[in-house]
Amino acid sequence: AICVKTCFVMNRLAEAAEDADYYHDYNDTLEFEYYNSMLINTLDEDGNPMPLGGEFALEENEHFNKIPVNTQQSNIQVPTNVYNKDPDIVNGVYMSEALNDVFIDNFQKDPTLTWQYFGSASGFFRLYPGIQWIPDENGVVTFDCRKRNWYIQAATSPKDVVIVVDVSGSMKGLRLTIAKHTINTILDTLGENDFVNIIAYSDYVRYVEPCFKGTLVQADLDNREVTETRGKPSNTQGKHANCALRVCVCVCVCVQATALGQGSLCNQAIMLITDGAMEDYKDVFEEFNWPERRVRVFTYLIGREMTFADSVKWIACNNKGYYTHISTLADVQENVMEYLHVLSRPMVINHDHDIIWTEAYMDSVVSDQAQSLLLMTSVAMPVFSKKKETLSHGILLGVVGTDVALRELMRLAPRYKLGIHGYAYLLTNNGYILSHPDLRPLVQRFFFLFFPSCYRRFKHWMCFV
Ligand SMILES: *[C@@H]1O[C@H](CO)[C@@H](O)[C@H](O)[C@H]1NC(C)=O
């Protein structure tokens, strides 16, 4: 029942967002005063409300962890590095005003609902009920909805990613810093449905994390942390190596993964991070990746020097990937995000409205005057532009979502119906156990150790009793 209920909420939100976009004509010069949750209820030096601020009624609400909220209205958060009057933002916010009524109506129909939201591909985050967003001590808001797990999982298809990073002698100083930052940004785009490995090469190949040797590991929180802390190439010795061997190893890893039924099987990519390649390794790709080109290769050329750019370009262009040149740290974020769009294109063109349920996570709640922890899951669904001119290539507008307490889900399986030794558990469509009498978030990983083939087997959300 909750599945039906939650799907209903998701469908309504997605439909409202798509319709709103469909009937909205983009206006370059549009001016629209919206409530920015950072700026509401604040005054400038002269005592006037800030632009995009203004008075926004807030009231402490028991149901929302005693946070002051406005249940009549959603409001907008924009990350600090995005200009809050950018035409893309203003147009998106304006058209998504239509979601307000749907949020309110959903909440009235089902008062157990908690936060409902829309994260847009342009970067703004519409949250219902509206709140005041408190910046961190440096006055910045780093929260970017596009980097959240629920967003990435809903907006992208599962992927196997092998990051191949050049740590030869020329990769030092700023280049190495950019390379590390690129790796970390790629890791940030991976969710629990993805598999990853990092291979560093100079004169020889080494796996940055030896435990992952030769295999892809699920990019869940623990593994990502290991990879992040160790994912720092430090060895800068050695000459610019002929890396035919490494690329080969890498392609093999992916092919192997398919053969063994490891990995996500859907989207395979190699991310080559280097400051230049001496040759294009055509023979290697010919042997392992052509003609299907199942493994896409994205290449990131680091640094200002373009001497060895041609082969790097060639590799990407001939393996269904694309090539980017990253010469400053500021280029990293947007350039990395681009690969997600390429990998998710089939899903976007087909308008696959798959609902995703994230891995259970702890959230603190206030109950009976005491702070306690509650297991939560986020439910999310991608939304696409339905405009005629976008149908051929597909445009992702963003992701709608809501947070659900697992407690609410478990209420659907009342004890008396289960018998003495009966218990209920929940599985997500990618096979995660969301809830189980013995559940600690760790449990699900053991589940996969023993039942790896369950992964992505469950196409649809199921409630087992
Ligand atoms: C675009 O927005 C501006 C400012 O709100 C408005 O004056 C103008 O008429 C709009 N243009 C169209 C084509 O709607």
Side-chain angles (χ1 to χ4, degrees), residues 254-411:
C254 299
V255 172
Q256 211 181 13
T258 317
L260 292 176
Q262 259 176 9
S264 73
L265 308 185
C266 296
N267 266 310
Q268 299 180 312
I270 293 172
M271 324 294 260
L272 176 62
I273 304 172
T274 177
D275 60 353
M278 303 280 232
E279 46 167 313
D280 54 28
Y281 311 112
K282 185 170 175 216
D283 53 325
V284 179
F285 291 113
E286 221 160 18
E287 182 170 348
F288 292 102
N289 204 30
W290 294 357
E292 301 90 358
R293 294 164 220 256
R294 191 160 45 191
V295 180
R296 289 178 192 264
V297 185
F298 297 88
T299 53
Y300 299 91
L301 184 74
I302 308 291
R304 298 196 185 279
E305 219 175 294
M306 302 291 286
T307 327
F308 298 107
D310 288 349
S311 329
V312 178
K313 269 186 210 167
W314 188 93
I315 291 172
C317 296
N318 287 285
N319 289 287
K320 286 166 78 178
Y322 73 92
Y323 150 88
T324 9
H325 180 210
I326 303 184
S327 56
T328 69
L329 273 175
D331 292 344
V332 173
Q333 180 75 29
E334 291 302 318
N335 280 330
V336 167
M337 293 309 258
E338 193 57 34
Y339 98 92
L340 284 177
H341 301 152
V342 174
L343 286 193
S344 303
R345 202 159 286 153
M347 174 193 109
V348 174
I349 290 174
N350 296 333
H351 287 198
D352 291 337
H353 283 106
D354 281 354
I355 292 190
I356 64 96
W357 301 65
T358 62
E359 189 177 6
Y361 56 89
M362 294 287 193
D363 196 21
S364 70
V365 292
V366 180
S367 56
D368 306 328
Q369 319 299 334
Q371 194 94 357
S372 63
L373 287 171
L374 193 65
L375 275 170
M376 304 285 296
T377 174
S378 298
V379 188
M381 189 192 228
V383 292
F384 308 101
S385 169
K386 292 198 295 190
K387 288 184 174 161
K388 267 210 188 66
E389 62 272 24
T390 67
L391 287 182
S392 61
H393 50 288
I395 287 187
L396 176 82
L397 296 174
V399 174
V400 291
T402 186
D403 295 346
V404 180
L406 295 187
R407 199 173 57 189
E408 292 298 328
L409 297 180
M410 296 312 278
R411 284 212 180 114

Side-chain angles (χ1 to χ4, degrees), residues 182-202:
T182 306
I183 295 175
N184 287 331
T185 311
I186 294 171
L187 290 176
D188 280 346
T189 64
L190 302 177
E192 294 119 15
N193 292 347
D194 304 319
F195 289 78
V196 65
N197 204 339
I198 304 182
I199 300 172
Y201 73 89
S202 52

Side-chain angles (χ1 to χ4, degrees), residues 52 54 62 104 139 199 249 310 336-337 378 390 423 426 440 448:
L52 303 184
E62 200 68 44
I104 295 170
I199 300 172
V249 168
D310 288 349
V336 167
M337 293 309 258
S378 298
T390 67
Y423 58 81
L426 299 162
R440 264 143 283 202
F448 272 109

Side-chain angles (χ1 to χ4, degrees), residues 27 29-31:
N27 180 346
T29 57
L30 181 66
E31 283 168 30

Side-chain angles (χ1 to χ4, degrees), residues 180 214 422 433:
K180 284 181 195 170
I433 294 186

